[in-house]
Amino acid sequence: MGQTYRCSTYLDKGGTGKTTCTAHLGVALQQACDEEVLLIDLAGKQSDLAKTFGLYEEVQADIESEDDFPNVATTMEENWTNVSDLLDDPIDELVYETDEGVDLIPAHPSLDALDADLGNVDDAQERYHRLREFLDDYVDPLDYTVVLLDLPGVANNVSYNGLWATESVVAPVQMGPLEFEQARGLEKDLGGIRDSYGVDVALEMLLPNLYDRRTNLDAEVHEQFLEE
């Protein structure tokens, strides 16, 4: 890792609040801690982070006018180095500025095809290291001090690229038995990545989300999380 701190928000489940947490953490780090923050949306073609920051129409206009190359998926394609060599400033082509002070590389519809393409790469190091190499070579040399990745709510080749590229994982969790087991499973999976591939990534934080203090079930599961 370089000097840029990298963190992913991830849980193998949709609707847990990953995108919302990514946005709030990024803005808080920028406004309260004066960090230079880059957000990267890998969570799907809906481009929810762009919607959160009021950039969705601009991003969609670029996509519809085919003024969207390169995009976040391009950075993990086999020919990214050749593509970047043709550009004066590859990062400038990818990044959108927000009114809240953080920068954003939005999601793109081609992420779905990228997941399938990565599945055809036999070597695990090659398949899962592409985003990490992009961050090492193109983002770390810049002024960003924090990079936050919003990952898909499913275990696929794109989300594993995100996990391999970061050192810390924040998991937003709802107060339910299923989410408890998913968080426990995530910690186990990250341990497997460390042990099998030497990737230094760990579950650093759980963020209770949609916690209803009026219900006994939420209180009981919350207590389980605290004990764990």
Side-chain angles (χ1 to χ4, degrees), residues 13 24 34 42-44 46 51-52 68 79 84 98 127 134 145 157 162 164 177 192 217 220:
K13 184 179 186 297
H24 281 284
D34 202 28
L42 299 174
Q46 296 88 354
K51 294 176 183 176
T52 299
D68 59 340
N79 65 341
S84 65
T98 75
R127 183 165 65 248
F134 164 71
T145 53
N157 294 307
W164 284 45
L217 176 61
E220 291 170 3

Side-chain angles (χ1 to χ4, degrees), residues 41 44-48 50-51 55-74 93-94 96 104-111:
D41 189 352
K45 58 188 177 184
Q46 296 88 354
S47 203
D48 285 337
K51 294 176 183 176
L55 295 171
Y56 182 74
E57 291 184 359
E58 180 181 351
V59 172
Q60 286 303 112
D62 288 341
I63 292 173
E64 291 171 6
S65 65
E66 298 186 354
D67 188 20
D68 59 340
F69 184 84
N71 56 68
V72 68
T74 317
E93 298 286 341
L94 293 163
Y96 291 73
L104 170 66
I105 298 180
H108 191 271
S110 57
L111 282 169

